[in-house]
Amino acid sequence: MLELYHIQREGDPYGGSRNSSKVLIALEEIGEKYKVKLLSRLEDCRPADAPYRKINPNGVVPAINDDGLVLWESGAILRYLADTRGGTALMPTDARQRALVQQWLTWEGTTLNPTLLNLFFAMMAPTPDNDAIAAAKAAYLGNLAILNAQLVGKDYVCGSFSIADIALGCVAPISFNLGLDLKPYPALLAWIKRLGARPAWAKAETVIADMAAGQAQLG
Ligand SMILES: N[C@@H](CCC(=O)N[C@@H](CS)C(=O)NCC(=O)O)C(=O)O
């Protein structure tokens, strides 16, 4: 049975891993059986000599072990699951449609997530620098505006549900924990609400808690 290395919400200083939640949601979406291997961020991931480093030398989750294939990087795992057992539930078959899904999946990892992390670290700095926070906030909100524009008139990022929604939908709700006002992005808010209502997402406690932090905005 496929094994997923995951950091759960309970007991984790950051409320669990959004990146391993992506894989958990994908597995739930396709109804694949899997075994969760729970890790502690501080004890199993961070120490340079932790045994988990043999699975993922980066010391981060997620990683999977699928009958001997060890794979890390959440985007690569999502693509692998879509290719091996997702059917059309996670990824369209048409090459042009697939390219658009890849585009948004890549954008999450290379653009949206780094600007979110920049903002997070600017806000959490021991001596916060207001100019740095304002610049980081503008950069991140600019990206949320791009995502909102893409979602206008659509239920999901590429029209029908795909791994792009999973990757982006596990990251964007963190905005609520940072106290950001997403009301200027109504299509984004409606999409987050739509994702949270999908039965598969209920198992991802970390993401559901991020969404709950935005309840007043989500309505
Ligand atoms: N690019 C990686 C990032 C993975 C990552 O940063 N995971 C975080 C949790 S969301 C982690 O395991 N951090 C370990 C730590 O904080 O020590 C991916 O997408 O899989």
Side-chain angles (χ1 to χ4, degrees):
M1 193 185 302
L2 186 148
E3 295 176 338
L4 165 64
Y5 292 84
H6 177 54
I7 299 173
Q8 70 176 1
R9 176 172 153 72
E10 196 186 324
D12 182 57
Y14 296 114
S17 165
R18 282 78 185 168
N19 282 308
S20 54
S21 295
K22 295 173 187 171
V23 178
L24 193 135
I25 289 169
L27 291 163
E28 289 288 329
E29 285 280 355
I30 56 179
E32 177 77 17
K33 286 202 165 54
Y34 59 97
K35 186 174 170 195
V36 174
K37 309 270 268 188
L38 285 180
L39 298 183
S40 150
R41 187 185 299 263
L42 302 182
E43 286 164 25
D44 301 315
C45 292
R46 299 225 168 145
D49 60 351
Y52 175 62
R53 296 269 176 155
K54 292 199 168 65
I55 302 287
N56 185 346
N58 303 285
V60 297
V61 294
I64 61 166
N65 185 339
D66 184 24
D67 197 19
L69 173 71
V70 172
L71 195 60
W72 38 263
E73 274 301 325
S74 59
I77 297 170
L78 290 178
R79 278 185 283 254
Y80 172 73
L81 293 177
D83 284 347
T84 54
R85 59 264 269 181
T88 52
L90 295 182
M91 190 87 166
T93 47
D94 173 72
R96 293 163 84 103
Q97 289 300 317
R98 288 172 72 85
L100 290 169
V101 171
Q102 303 273 22
Q103 169 190 282
W104 286 104
L105 187 67
T106 305
W107 184 80
E108 182 274 315
T110 59
T111 305
L112 186 70
N113 209 338
T115 52
L116 173 68
L117 287 175
N118 271 350
L119 175 57
F120 176 77
F121 290 122
M123 289 170 104
M124 299 303 154
T127 324
D129 171 341
N130 287 338
D131 290 344
I133 293 174
K137 194 184 275 188
Y140 178 61
L141 291 179
N143 286 329
L144 288 188
I146 291 172
L147 183 55
N148 181 69
Q150 171 67 13
L151 284 161
V152 171
K154 294 188 194 73
D155 280 351
Y156 296 106
V157 174
C158 295
S160 51
F161 181 82
S162 73
I163 51 177
D165 296 287
I166 297 179
L168 292 161
C170 284
V171 169
I174 304 171
S175 311
F176 299 126
N177 293 327
L178 300 183
L180 298 177
D181 178 11
L182 300 198
K183 286 194 288 301
Y185 314 112
L188 181 74
L189 281 174
W191 166 77
I192 291 174
K193 197 167 175 182
R194 203 170 290 127
L195 292 175
R198 292 179 71 90
W201 292 57
K203 284 271 173 71
E205 294 172 349
T206 293
V207 179
I208 292 300
D210 289 342
M211 290 179 178
Q215 204 169 3
Q217 296 184 47
L218 291 168

